[in-house]
Amino acid sequence: MTTEVGSETEVKKDAEQVGPDKAKGKPEEASETPGNDKSRKASSEETQDSPVPAPTSPSSPSSQKKEKDSSESKGISRFLPPWLKKQKSYTLAEPKDESKKRATGEEQVAEESESHPSEGMAQPKRSLETVAENNAKADDKEEKHSVSSAETQPAKEDGKEMEVEKVTEEKEEKEKRETKEVQTAESIPQKPPKKIKTVQCKVVLLDGTEYSCDLEKKAKGQILFDKVCEHLNLLEKDYFGLLFYENSDQKNWLDSSKEIKRQIRSLPWLFTFNVKFYPPDPSQLTEDITRYFLCLQLRQDIASGRLPCSFVTHALLGSYTLQAEMGDHDPDEHRSDYISDFQFAPNQTQEMEEKVAELHKTHRGLTPAQADSQFLENAKRLSMYGVDLHHAKDSEGVDIMLGVCANGLLIYKDRLRINRFAWPKILKISYKRSNFYIKVRPAELEQFESTIGFKLPNHRAAKRLWKVCVEHHTFFRLLSPEQPPKSKFLTLGSKFRYSGRTQAQTRQASNLIDRPAPYFERSSSKRVSRSLDGAPMSISDQSLLRDFRTRGQPGGDKIIDLAAAGEAELKEGGREDDGSPLKTPQLELIQDGKKKGDHIFQVKTLPGKEKQWTAMPSIAGTKPEETDKKHASRAEGPCTEVSNADKSSHETLDIVEEKKQAEVGIEETLVIDETNKGKIQVATDAGETCKVEHLPKKDSSSLPSDSSSSSSSESEDEEVGEYQPHHRAVEEVIREEQEEEEDVKRKEHEEKIQHVEATLEVSQLTVPAECTQVAAEDLVQENATAIPTEEKNLSEEIKQDLGEEKEEEQLKLNGDVSHVDTDVSPQIICCSEPPVVKTEMVTISDATQRTEISTKEVPIVQTETKTITYESPQFDGSAGGGAGVLLSAQTITSESISTTTTTHITKMVKGGVSETRIEKRIVITGDADIDHDEALAQAIKEAKEQHPDMSVTRVVVHKETELAEEDED
Amino acid sequence: MGRGRAAGGALSAAGAGGGGSRAEPGRSDPPASPRSMAGLGGGPAAFGRCTHAVVRALPESLCRQALRSTAGPEVDFARAEREHQLYVGVLRGKLGLQVLELPADESLPDCVFVEDAAVVCEETALLTRPGAPSRRKEVEAMKRVLESLNLNMVEMVDENATLDGGDVLFTGREFFVGLSKRTNQRGAEILADTFKDYAVSTVPVHDSLHLKSFCSMAGPNLIAIGSSEAAQKALKTMQQMSDHRYDKLTVPDDAAANCIYLNIPSKGHVLLHRAPEEYPESAKVFEKLKDHMLIPIANTELEKVDGALTCCSVLINKTSEL
């Protein structure tokens, strides 16, 4: 209630949305026993009268219960029948504080607020999670609840009333969702509403000046960003962002949708206003003021060396800067040294200044806005314009740079571009620990996607890079202004999305700008060189470049290795496959008329694992390798699936974020996105080919080994699921096209085309088939399995491919998602308790009903057990029929901040009926930022939306709770 | 010879056709300011502009001592000279370039292939360190002549670096550098350091002497490419590496894919390509370029020692006399 509380309470309160919001996520609450009201009252009295020490460690459940925040328990108990709710007593950590608050009312003392972050950090994990959940759900529709609980400090009586209300609401919600809470033996301290705390915040602007303001401590990034933009009179603000630095050169973008405090943690509230997305064509910006800020940013970039220029360009850009800031050259006023105050280049010479002055004279008559425009028109052509560089190493430990830009991902070694992956070519971006992975579409001559890994300096760097990629892709590639771009990035387990507008949207919005051109004063760019981030960045960059040159890695130059060893393997594979009836020219399906690059990057594992990989190329060999080249026409001719080719129309990009943690695992198997079907599917005869997702750890050899029964595929899946982050070396190889065997290949190719047709027929005959699955999970985790039952024929698939973007865009945002509330809390039951207690099987749906298994309908049984399995009745039958011919198998492992998702797709042909089974296993690990239930629900929902024609046949939820150290970052 | 000529034809790249004008600011057009300097080459529109050409006479030692990848018939010196004179004559007479002709040096049998000794882009010249040790001295004369043009000079002094100009393809937007027997990574890095405005991507070259042995620019946005596996593969590499989409002109013969594109103010698109007598099928392809002024040039003799059309000149666009 209204009682004041210890630090926990405060932390909680800081999160804007309290109790109700988090309710769904809090299984612990469920464990509480009925009689809450009484206990609650009692507890509140208790807290007021007898302060108790600060929160105890999570390991002592009993005491924790006592400490639970009442509001939080309310929130959780929302899902429980009232009689089930049990209210905990909570303790009061800082009674003084309480009285103070009462005295001061809404106002919060600054010091107090200052102290909170550290408190929060220091708190036991549980309290952190509490806050995190609050935070995570801040956007939820239940915000209304939070208002009462968090923002105001009602009298006791009011508080009670409100709680009652909440209880009823919770009940409703629960009914709506048909969810049940599984209780753990834990409870969460209840926190009363609190006052607003403010903190002072400083932002270094692009002209070097500093803007400061007071912010509510729990303010989200958007608040600050809006304030800054307002201060700057900037309307086209989507190109910009706020940076904060950890260490000197680790820059992080402030996420507008999240609380500032959660992001900067203990760092000072000091930010830098910067351009985040460099518009490829600045002339399309609507306002001069926007261009001006872009100019300021670029001047910084240039002066600091981040944006390299030739001498001539330095001089030219400098001359435009002069023109913009000083107007026409005035021989009287502008003596020879007038430019020395400006910094145009990292290493500015007298000669350069002379050149600048000389050029300045030629710009006579240009207005400042025109000079800025000229500046930008020249700057935008620089090859490093808008490229956000990240240091990394390739598989061989060679230092490289990954550059994220509007068009995609660029790979540099030293100053040389050694590869490039345009966004349309990238299927998935993920990171795991300090590794960053991209999965790329097969090239023209390739059949399989490949995954390329890079080693980042640390986990945070990998995550940063991942986020930057997500944001750039969203901003620049997703053009549909009507649809929320975020939906594009809804992927399993990933909490992070770009929350702003896309470039298309911001352009549209800019068109509506209707104001006279705002007046603004151009400040001297002298200051630019002194701005916060310039110098250190350039220094670090340069040092890194130097490092590159001195790298001592053996074989360092081999990033791109033509004429791969894999070639021989490919050929072999091709021969082996000769005559196999079901060979499918995968290639044809994916032929992309537009795509011209044919670099095929093969991921290779470390030497020790090479055997596994050799299996891969042999698989690849089954497809016509060299169709293109001289025979481009041929490739196009037979390819009936050309429609598939237009990649840009169905560009998809899965972005998966991963944070692996030890404690709680939820494993979920879900229908996977079928976007890639056209590419993924390989029809072959038994065991000859499979689609192999190239995650090094996986034993791909098992795939080609044979028609994988469901169990075998499962086991493989498991292997991946158990995948432990390990140091992984990846070698990129541009597969060399084979010249000698071209004719042979051509023949093969033709054969394969025929096979394709045959396959098509088969597919058309396909009946929504049973799903097969053998639950082979031995992991103690939650496991939800969705099994697609229908094999679509190829044309359908193509359609889906084409329409897929739309589908994705229609996905709802997180907040709209219906939730499956399962008990996934990483919290503490009892350390000694075995993680898996019991298993219950629940049938959730009839497998023949392919489409509409809404998550809402999923009954979740409240249980004390930790394993829940839902499966369709069909399941058994199909499992028995696992002896079909494996068409393809694919396993994808992706990870996000809180989840590890392993997806296994198998296609089987059994007596003319083919079936596709997609199994997703999602491990959701406990983490402060995570809402397990929501993640699970989200995953299921997405899977459903992605595969409306498939049905979920089985959901297995394993819960493993234990105490574990958070290993974050 | 010269077929139709048209300025700004179908082949012009996006953004081309504007003459030498600097980029346009879209919203507010600045008063025309004199183009005093090539900022980023003035964009793709300026691609192919050329005012000067450096060539070098061929030494008699070429016939016997010039490096060659394959043994074959001896070079007919007299004929080689005639062909070369025709070549120079076209540049000077027909196209009106200021041709700076260096004298032959008998001690440098390959010295006629001046392209390998320097890479000139806009106002900057990179003096290379040719991959063949016997050719390193060729750079000296090149240095002198380029200095006379008042270009910004960069010398490749790193002893670990090698670079032949024949491995450098400048598209107007970016550089591709072939990593060949003659050019190594370090050489490419120095090139990237020299021309910082541009992306420099590396392209492995295995089966031929140079990157430009099978490709060249045939227009502002047009890459002429041979049909061999190696050529097509290299093209794909380049396409993958580039943010820009180039058109391609595929010719049956790799050697014929080496042509010289120029943008001459009074003549528009000009293309020097191998004569129909040498490569009839490829010539037919070039003849489809309706917007180009086509100038067939025979190069039968120098080809015996791996010489191509671009090898014999360094083209320079001096926009200012500062």
Side-chain angles (χ1 to χ4, degrees), chain A residues 348-363:
Chain A
Q348 191 161 321
T349 60
Q350 177 84 22
E351 186 192 6
M352 184 180 292
E353 290 177 8
E354 285 167 9
K355 195 83 178 172
V356 169
E358 173 190 314
L359 288 169
H360 182 197
K361 293 171 192 166
T362 69
H363 302 322

Side-chain angles (χ1 to χ4, degrees), chain A residues 582-601:
Chain A
L582 284 178
K583 248 180 302 173
T584 302
Q586 192 73 47
L587 202 100
E588 301 304 327
L589 301 183
I590 351 165
Q591 198 75 321
D592 178 0
K594 288 186 179 178
K595 191 170 49 176
K596 291 177 180 169
D598 69 333
H599 283 216
I600 294 164
F601 286 77

Side-chain angles (χ1 to χ4, degrees), chain A residues 671 674 677 788-790 850-851 916 918 947-952:
Chain A
V671 178
E674 283 207 24
K677 259 193 175 176
T789 53
E790 184 185 42
R850 298 203 308 266
T851 38
T916 300
I918 302 179
H947 310 276
D949 48 351
M950 291 188 158
S951 60
V952 176

Side-chain angles (χ1 to χ4, degrees), chain A residues 198-237:
Chain A
T198 64
V199 67
Q200 199 190 34
C201 202
K202 290 182 179 176
V203 180
V204 178
L205 303 176
L206 285 167
D207 62 2
T209 59
E210 195 176 273
Y211 166 78
S212 58
C213 63
D214 288 337
L215 279 186
E216 222 175 300
K217 196 160 170 262
K218 58 193 174 189
K220 291 180 183 172
Q222 189 70 43
I223 307 272
L224 176 60
F225 183 67
D226 287 345
K227 281 188 171 217
V228 174
C229 291
E230 189 183 354
H231 171 76
L232 293 171
N233 201 13
L234 176 64
L235 292 184
E236 294 175 283
K237 54 191 178 186

Side-chain angles (χ1 to χ4, degrees), chain A residues 149-303:
Chain A
S149 61
E151 304 273 342
T152 65
Q153 190 167 15
K156 276 187 190 175
E157 295 296 325
D158 294 344
K160 281 181 189 173
E161 288 174 11
M162 286 190 337
E163 285 187 351
V164 174
E165 285 174 14
K166 283 177 191 165
V167 169
T168 56
E169 283 174 15
E170 287 159 8
K171 216 195 280 180
E172 289 171 10
E173 277 195 31
K174 185 204 162 200
E175 289 169 6
K176 214 188 295 171
R177 299 180 185 184
E178 298 184 2
T179 60
K180 285 186 183 176
E181 278 296 325
V182 178
Q183 289 191 343
T184 62
E186 203 180 356
S187 62
I188 298 176
Q190 219 169 11
K191 292 166 190 178
K194 282 230 171 163
K195 306 149 197 172
I196 297 169
K197 306 168 189 177
T198 64
V199 67
Q200 199 190 34
C201 202
K202 290 182 179 176
V203 180
V204 178
L205 303 176
L206 285 167
D207 62 2
T209 59
E210 195 176 273
Y211 166 78
S212 58
C213 63
D214 288 337
L215 279 186
E216 222 175 300
K217 196 160 170 262
K218 58 193 174 189
K220 291 180 183 172
Q222 189 70 43
I223 307 272
L224 176 60
F225 183 67
D226 287 345
K227 281 188 171 217
V228 174
C229 291
E230 189 183 354
H231 171 76
L232 293 171
N233 201 13
L234 176 64
L235 292 184
E236 294 175 283
K237 54 191 178 186
D238 299 298
Y239 300 95
F240 300 83
L242 293 172
L243 280 175
F244 61 95
Y245 287 87
E246 358 171 5
N247 306 328
S248 59
D249 67 342
Q250 294 199 322
K251 56 176 194 175
N252 295 276
W253 291 105
L254 188 68
D255 187 338
S256 290
S257 63
K258 291 183 181 165
E259 278 183 49
I260 296 171
K261 179 167 55 70
R262 303 242 118 246
Q263 300 179 62
I264 62 172
R265 304 187 180 207
S266 58
L267 295 168
W269 288 60
L270 176 61
F271 304 92
T272 307
F273 182 78
N274 261 37
V275 173
K276 186 176 189 180
F277 304 113
Y278 290 75
D281 186 359
S283 69
Q284 291 197 29
L285 295 174
T286 298
E287 295 200 302
D288 286 337
I289 191 170
T290 315
R291 266 186 289 275
Y292 169 64
F293 290 123
L294 179 57
C295 281
L296 290 180
Q297 175 72 66
L298 288 166
R299 284 167 198 160
Q300 260 184 39
D301 294 345
I302 291 167

